[in-house]
């Protein structure tokens, strides 16, 4: 059994990878049923698309751990250090504020969507908006983690 | 004037080093706040809508295929084939780089992943054998551009989704331009290697028996793009389904035909796939929300109307767009530029009577070349960091390659037949 530490550390990748496997298998199942039984399984396409939201929003949080979200530092790297610091603080506030806003939205959408079923599987649409909520909440966690680690490194 | 605030805000946030996906999303959100009447729910719906797209599912699949290839020893086999084909030429290792990228182009879909692979294998070998490290970085990063054009390519899938163009047509449209770039790079390599005395790996041509043997060894891998194209051509599957089936196929080849793929490889393959996919997809999600703003304010038609006053000649328009993209491409990362610019440009160029498939090939070629133009370029960063080359020296060595590729870009731009002949032949005009 993987340790709790491992699960906490790689939580987003674990969820996103599981979702990715579901996505691949359901698309393949869709093709298979179309050719073998001539009666394509309509739920397969829907499951694949729902799974994709889990891959993307959990994965996007994992990207923060490795600084994989591209940005353009051409201008800020040439600023004097005090100005660069002020800009960095502003950027942190913007990104974190946006994530928080998305979490709040995600929660509202997830609750509202509970009575709103998907077209084939009749699952509540919460399965689509849930990963948005979780994903952006985790992004806040990973972003702050990164900030703490970076400031420790700068202090040491 | 207020109409333009979100667009201006986006560029300001770019300059402030805000992650690009967030810069786009925050600017899009600002539009809803400024307008005040359009329900904010639409913003969230647009953000999620990209993940609800069946065609975009092809992105993770093709990323994953590349990751499996490397673990399954398929890359190594293609390298042996490249060696048998061009190992006797001057500058053999550099020539192998281009040939390998062309062969790999049909299997992998991400130029950055290919740049990393080429630099780590052939690039390092080149420096060991007396090639200048900057030259090695220049050819490995330039060769990776071919990947974007030889099907399948992620850029083409994204463009197909955003411009509502058939991905099958785009895939086929990229073949000839990809081969042209490959020929251009090999020519430049030849001239350089002659001048600098970069040696062949073997005294004479390996001979057809060895070519046949290495080809047969690699046949499982080489057949993949053919299989995908045929499947699309005869409507057996969609690009997305082709991706999913190919994932399973490469896993089977890795396990049973080449016997090199292990279960232990999978955590890394999955992690790589998930990370690469979501970094791109978050950008697309944000761009969908931003696209709603563009459409609501009717900015692309406004731009088209303005451009008509500048020129009514489609060729001049293409030239202008190309120059603009080259300038933009030096500073902005290619995929991000593709995602932002496709919804703006496509309505404009179609109004000028330019075929969107042709334009897609031009756009993707141009923005992939942007990946090696200093000072900002994904493939340049990767090759330079693997081979420990300073950007200044890289910039000098990459110039002849860049000039050759811009030459091909011009050719593709002004001879639409090069991009359209194959798709029109296979799918009908």
């Amino acid at each position: 059994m993987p340790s709790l530490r491992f699960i906490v550390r790689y939580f987003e990748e674990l969820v996103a990878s599981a979702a990715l496997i579901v996505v691949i298998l359901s698309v393949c199942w869709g093709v298979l049923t179309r050719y073998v039984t001539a009666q394509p399984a309509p739920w397969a396409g829907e499951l694949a698309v729902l799974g994709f939201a889990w891959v993307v929003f959990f994965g996007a949080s994992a990207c923060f751990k490795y600084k994989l979200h591209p940005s353009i530092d051409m201008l800020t790297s040439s600023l004097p250090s005090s100005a660069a610091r002020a800009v960095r603080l502003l950027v942190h506030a913007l990104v974190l504020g946006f994530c928080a806003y998305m979490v709040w939205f995600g929660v509202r959408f997830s609750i509202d969507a509970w009575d709103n079923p998907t077209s084939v599987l009749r699952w509540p649409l919460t399965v689509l908006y849930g990963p948005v909520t979780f994903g952006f909440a985790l992004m806040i966690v990973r972003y702050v983690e990164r900030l703490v680690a970076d400031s420790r490194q700068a202090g040491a | 004037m207020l109409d333009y605030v979100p667009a201006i805000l986006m560029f300001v946030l770019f300059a402030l080093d805000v992650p690009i996906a967030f810069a786009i999303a925050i600017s899009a959100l600002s539009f809803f706040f400024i307008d005040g009447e359009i329900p904010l729910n639409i913003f969230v719906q647009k953000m999620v809508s990209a993940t609800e797209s069946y065609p975009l599912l092809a992105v993770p699949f093709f990323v994953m295929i590349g990751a499996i290839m490397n673990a399954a020893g398929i890359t190594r086999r293609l390298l042996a084939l490249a060696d048998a084909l061009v190992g006797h030429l001057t500058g053999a290792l550099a020539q192998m780089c281009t040939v390998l990228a062309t062969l790999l182009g049909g299997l992998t879909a991400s130029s950055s992943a290919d740049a990393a692979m080429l630099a780590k294998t052939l690039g390092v070998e080149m420096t060991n054998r007396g090639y200048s490290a900057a030259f090695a970085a220049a050819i490995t990063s330039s060769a990776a551009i071919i990947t974007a054009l030889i099907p399948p390519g992620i850029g083409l899938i994204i463009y197909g989704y955003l411009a509502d163009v058939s991905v099958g047509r785009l895939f086929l449209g990229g073949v000839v331009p990809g081969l042209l770039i490959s020929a251009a790079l090999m020519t430049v390599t030849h001239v350089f290697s002659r001048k600098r005395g970069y040696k062949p790996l073997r005294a004479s041509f390996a001979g057809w028996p060895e070519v046949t043997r290495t080809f047969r060894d690699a046949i499982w891998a080489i057949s993949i793009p053919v299989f995908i194209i045929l499947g699309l051509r005869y409507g057996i599957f969609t690009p997305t389904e082709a991706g999913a089936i190919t994932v399973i196929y490469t896993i089977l080849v890795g396990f049973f035909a080449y016997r090199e793929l292990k279960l232990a490889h999978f955590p890394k393959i999955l992690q790589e796939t998930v990370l690469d996919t979501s970094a791109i997809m978050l950008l697309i999600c944000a761009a969908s929300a931003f696209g709603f703003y563009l459409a609501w304010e009717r900015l692309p038609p406004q731009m088209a109307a303005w451009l008509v006053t500048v020129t009514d000649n489609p060729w001049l328009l293409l030239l202008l767009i190309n120059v603009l993209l080259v300038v933009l491409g030096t500073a902005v990362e290619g995929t991000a530029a593709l995602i932002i610019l496709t919804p703006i440009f496509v309505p404009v160029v179609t109004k000028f009577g330019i075929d969107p498939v042709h334009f897609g090939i031009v756009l993707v070629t141009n923005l992939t070349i942007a990946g090696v133009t200093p000072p900002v370029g994904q493939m340049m960063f990767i090759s330079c960091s693997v081979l420990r080359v300073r950007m200044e020296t890289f910039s000098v060595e990459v110039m002849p390659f860049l000039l050759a590729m811009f030459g091909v870009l011009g050719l593709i731009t002004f001879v639409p037949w090069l991009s359209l002949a194959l798709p029109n032949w296979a799918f009908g005009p």
Side-chain angles (χ1 to χ4, degrees):
Chain A
M1 271 305 279
S3 68
L4 188 65
R5 213 194 160 97
F6 178 87
I7 294 178
V8 170
R9 184 147 169 224
Y10 293 108
F11 182 65
E12 294 97 323
E13 282 106 311
L14 291 171
V15 174
S17 299
L20 179 64
I21 294 171
V22 171
V23 171
I24 296 172
L25 293 180
S26 26
V27 172
C28 288
W29 187 251
V31 182
L32 205 70
T33 48
R34 193 170 72 220
Y35 282 102
V36 175
T37 65
Q39 185 69 272
W43 57 266
E46 190 173 286
L47 186 61
V49 166
L50 288 174
F52 197 31
W54 291 76
V55 175
V56 172
F57 290 105
F58 277 82
S61 171
C63 284
F64 270 117
K65 291 192 283 191
Y66 313 100
K67 295 194 175 165
L68 282 177
H69 288 299
S71 63
I72 305 166
D73 68 349
M74 261 204 323
L75 189 81
T76 48
S77 60
S78 57
L79 285 177
S81 66
S82 58
R85 209 183 130 76
V87 168
R88 266 205 307 276
L89 284 177
L90 176 73
V91 171
H92 297 330
L94 268 175
V95 173
L96 287 173
F98 179 75
C99 288
Y101 192 75
M102 286 303 285
V103 173
W104 177 74
F105 241 121
V107 170
R108 256 191 38 201
F109 259 71
S110 303
I111 295 172
D112 288 349
W114 190 256
D115 299 320
N116 204 349
T118 61
S119 53
V120 185
L121 288 162
R122 312 303 295 169
W123 288 354
L125 260 177
T126 312
V127 289
L128 178 65
Y129 292 109
V132 179
T133 319
F134 283 123
F136 279 96
L138 287 165
M139 281 183 224
I140 297 177
V141 175
R142 298 301 183 187
Y143 199 85
V144 172
E145 253 178 28
R146 191 80 245 178
L147 285 183
V148 172
D150 283 354
S151 68
R152 272 209 197 121
Q153 212 172 22
Chain B
M1 193 55 223
L2 225 49
D3 301 357
Y4 297 104
V5 171
I8 297 165
L9 178 67
M10 180 175 77
F11 286 106
V12 172
L13 294 179
F14 282 168
L16 294 181
D17 198 17
V18 175
I20 294 176
F22 286 82
I24 302 173
I26 292 170
S27 317
L29 185 60
S30 79
F31 161 69
F32 288 84
F33 282 125
I34 294 170
D35 182 88
E37 283 178 10
I38 303 166
L40 273 158
N41 290 1
I42 293 180
F43 173 74
V44 182
Q45 276 163 5
K46 288 284 160 193
M47 283 282 287
V48 183
S49 68
T51 71
E52 292 175 90
S53 144
Y54 200 71
L56 281 179
L57 279 176
V59 173
F61 297 160
F62 286 114
V63 171
M64 189 163 176
I65 291 163
I68 299 170
M69 292 285 171
N70 272 330
I74 292 175
T75 314
R76 201 163 46 69
R77 288 181 166 79
L78 292 176
L79 195 60
L81 175 59
D83 179 20
L85 283 172
V86 297
H88 60 290
L89 300 180
T90 349
L93 282 168
Q95 298 292 24
M96 279 164 65
C97 211
T98 305
V99 174
L100 178 61
T102 311
L103 293 172
L104 265 176
L107 317 169
T108 60
S110 140
S111 292
S112 331
D114 275 12
M117 197 279 302
L118 291 171
K120 280 180 204 154
T121 53
L122 284 166
V124 172
E125 185 66 22
M126 273 188 247
T127 53
N128 289 343
R129 293 195 185 224
Y131 289 62
S132 93
F135 177 82
I139 183 68
T140 49
S141 54
S142 304
I145 291 172
I146 301 166
T147 296
L149 292 169
I150 304 274
I154 289 181
L156 295 174
I157 298 172
I158 294 173
Y159 176 85
Y161 165 76
L162 292 172
D164 201 14
V165 174
S166 143
V167 174
R169 276 177 188 276
L170 288 165
F171 274 3
L172 268 181
V175 174
V176 175
L179 293 177
L180 284 176
I181 289 195
S182 159
L185 291 180
M186 288 186 75
T187 312
V188 174
T189 306
H190 181 75
V191 174
F192 255 68
S193 307
R194 264 278 162 80
K195 224 162 62 188
R196 298 192 177 172
Y198 294 151
K199 296 265 179 308
L201 282 179
R202 40 173 102 221
S204 59
F205 176 52
W208 289 110
E210 185 172 340
V211 172
T212 319
R213 189 179 56 73
T214 48
F215 182 80
R216 211 179 298 140
D217 204 25
I219 191 77
W220 291 106
I222 294 180
S223 53
I224 290 176
V226 180
F227 162 78
I228 294 177
I229 294 287
L230 286 179
L232 293 180
R233 163 65 184 82
Y234 291 103
I236 300 169
F237 37 57
T238 64
T240 302
E241 292 169 348
I245 295 168
T246 312
V247 167
I248 305 287
Y249 173 83
T250 35
I251 291 175
L252 293 178
V253 169
F255 272 135
F256 300 110
Y258 292 154
R259 296 162 192 254
E260 281 181 43
L261 190 62
K262 303 269 176 313
L263 271 180
H265 289 132
F266 275 87
K268 213 171 162 283
I269 291 174
L270 285 168
Q271 188 192 32
E272 206 181 304
T273 309
V274 163
L275 291 176
D276 283 0
T277 303
S278 46
I280 298 173
M281 282 301 300
L282 195 67
L283 267 170
I284 300 180
C285 289
S288 307
F290 196 77
F292 178 81
Y293 148 70
L294 289 177
W296 187 272
E297 296 290 4
R298 301 183 37 80
L299 292 187
Q302 279 182 39
M303 196 165 135
W306 174 77
L307 274 169
V308 174
T309 63
V310 179
T311 173
D312 53 5
N313 181 335
W315 303 112
L316 200 58
L317 175 77
L318 277 177
L319 184 69
L320 282 176
I321 291 181
N322 265 317
V323 171
L324 174 79
L325 290 178
V326 170
V327 175
L328 257 177
T330 57
V332 183
E333 210 260 310
T335 314
L338 178 70
I339 293 166
I340 301 165
L341 296 175
T342 302
I344 299 179
F345 279 148
V346 170
V348 177
V349 298
T350 42
K351 211 165 200 163
F352 275 74
I354 296 164
D355 189 304
V357 173
H358 172 221
F359 184 69
I361 303 294
V362 172
L363 192 67
V364 170
T365 309
N366 190 319
L367 291 174
T368 317
I369 297 177
V372 293
T373 49
V376 178
Q378 190 96 40
M379 281 105 77
M380 174 189 71
F381 287 149
I382 293 168
S383 288
C384 284
S385 77
V386 171
L387 297 164
R388 296 174 200 286
V389 176
R390 290 174 55 85
M391 210 208 308
E392 291 81 355
T393 44
F394 174 87
S395 309
V396 178
E397 290 279 288
V398 82
M399 263 317 148
F401 291 110
L402 271 182
L403 287 178
M405 288 189 289
F406 283 138
V408 175
L409 177 64
L411 203 60
I412 301 170
T413 306
F414 296 113
V415 189
W417 182 83
L418 293 171
S419 327
L420 296 175
L422 268 183
N424 284 347
W425 169 74
F427 293 98

